[in-house]
Amino acid sequence: MTYDVYTPLVLSLLLSAAGPLIARRAAPALAARVLTSAAVLTAGATTWSLVLLAATLLGAAPPVIREAREDGHPVTDPVPGAIGAAACLALLAVGVRVYRAVRAERRTRRVLRRLCAGHPADTELIVAASEVPQAFAIPGRPGRILVTSAMLSALGPAERRVLLAHERAHLSHRHGSLVTAATLAVAADPLLRPVRSAIAFLVERWADEQAASTVRDRRTAARALARAALTAGRARACALGFADRSVTRRIAALQTSPPPRLWPAAAGVLLLGALATLLAADATGDLLRQLSGALS
């Protein structure tokens, strides 16, 4: 087996380095879609490479090679036994991580469904009486927006329009699906963790830009996000995605012109994911040809 089987791991590192860069410079809508696609492709290729490496130890490869050697054919192992064993352990860890990620996603969705229980099906906005400032989108059919009374009271009329436009953007563009896909990709390939963080930042930036476009006032959008951040910070709560230090970058971005699309950079990132898939497929062909030669 050639070195192609190992290259998805190298490409995972390259994608993790490129992800934060494109997140800071490119239009968030394009960057989020491209990074998510590349992460899913790369994670799939990495997992399949582990399957190939493990198959040489646990699958049909060792018996085939052993029979070929008994017949006098000089056949070498596709990969060293230690690497095959390590791949088996890595696959087991991948299975556990993916299972936990899926279980956490289902648990979150059950909690969100309970929050919507008792409200009419055509109700988009749910206002909860609470002293904790919160605002978030609840995916579903239909999608809902939950806002607490504390958050509404902290914002002025124009800022409330920004808040609602921000959350509607999450629903209309299915940002939850992008983040979930990135989360599962990281579960399969932990090297992609910086990419998942970049995607989580990008969907918030995407919603910020959509909100600014809806109210046609970038300064008002920036002011609304800043006020929501201050309110959430005093209450130690999360609102409008203000759970980390990226808030200052988001507010600063709204005080400048919208970022360019940077199609060449986006194409390059997508190429990394496609290349990982092609190399994994090539490694599969190498293994099959080697086993076919051992049988002939």
Side-chain angles (χ1 to χ4, degrees):
M1 192 182 299
T2 66
Y3 290 106
D4 290 348
V5 73
Y6 305 105
T7 49
L9 295 172
V10 177
L11 292 174
S12 296
L13 294 173
L14 291 176
L15 184 58
S16 293
L21 293 177
I22 192 173
R24 288 194 293 267
R25 292 175 171 80
L30 175 63
R33 291 186 178 113
V34 166
L35 280 177
T36 302
S37 300
V40 170
L41 289 173
T42 304
T46 301
T47 302
W48 182 244
S49 294
L50 292 176
V51 171
L52 292 178
L53 292 171
T56 62
L57 183 66
L58 300 180
V64 168
I65 292 174
R66 187 165 54 252
E67 291 173 6
R69 286 172 177 167
E70 290 175 356
D71 293 338
H73 299 288
V75 181
T76 59
D77 291 327
V79 296
I83 293 180
C88 290
L89 294 176
L91 275 178
L92 179 61
V94 166
V96 171
R97 288 195 300 268
V98 170
Y99 169 75
R100 289 178 176 175
V102 171
R103 187 176 62 178
E105 178 67 18
R106 288 180 175 177
R107 184 168 56 247
T108 300
R109 294 195 177 193
R110 285 196 299 268
V111 171
L112 294 177
R113 282 196 298 268
R114 284 198 296 268
L115 291 174
C116 298
H119 295 275
D122 59 348
T123 301
E124 180 196 41
L125 178 61
I126 300 174
V127 179
S130 173
E131 296 181 356
V132 179
Q134 290 275 16
F136 54 88
I138 302 176
R141 296 183 180 178
R144 310 288 185 90
I145 299 172
L146 189 144
V147 184
T148 62
S149 55
M151 176 56 71
L152 290 178
S153 63
L155 303 177
E159 294 161 348
R160 292 174 186 172
R161 289 196 295 271
V162 172
L163 181 147
L164 294 178
H166 178 102
E167 301 303 337
R168 286 193 183 104
H170 284 319
L171 294 175
S172 61
H173 296 292
R174 300 184 181 277
H175 291 166
S177 298
L178 294 179
V179 175
T180 297
T183 300
L184 294 178
V186 170
D189 185 352
L191 295 176
L192 297 174
R193 193 173 300 278
V195 179
R196 196 271 180 195
S197 299
I199 293 170
F201 169 75
L202 283 168
V203 296
E204 294 299 333
R205 279 281 299 117
W206 185 351
D208 292 344
E209 291 292 334
Q210 189 73 34
S213 177
T214 299
V215 301
R216 299 181 180 181
D217 189 340
R218 297 180 68 81
R219 289 187 177 181
T220 298
R223 186 173 64 250
L225 296 176
R227 184 166 296 178
L230 291 174
T231 303
R234 287 194 295 267
R236 296 183 181 180
C238 173
L240 287 177
F242 288 112
D244 52 43
R245 297 178 182 176
S246 66
V247 56
T248 55
R249 291 165 53 196
R250 292 170 54 198
I251 294 173
L254 282 173
Q255 294 174 334
T256 61
S257 301
R261 292 188 180 274
L262 295 182
W263 287 104
V269 168
L270 192 58
L271 180 63
L272 287 177
L275 184 60
T277 303
L278 291 174
L279 291 174
D282 188 61
T284 304
D286 289 342
L287 177 60
L288 292 177
R289 285 191 294 271
Q290 186 167 358
L291 296 180
S292 177
L295 287 172
S296 61

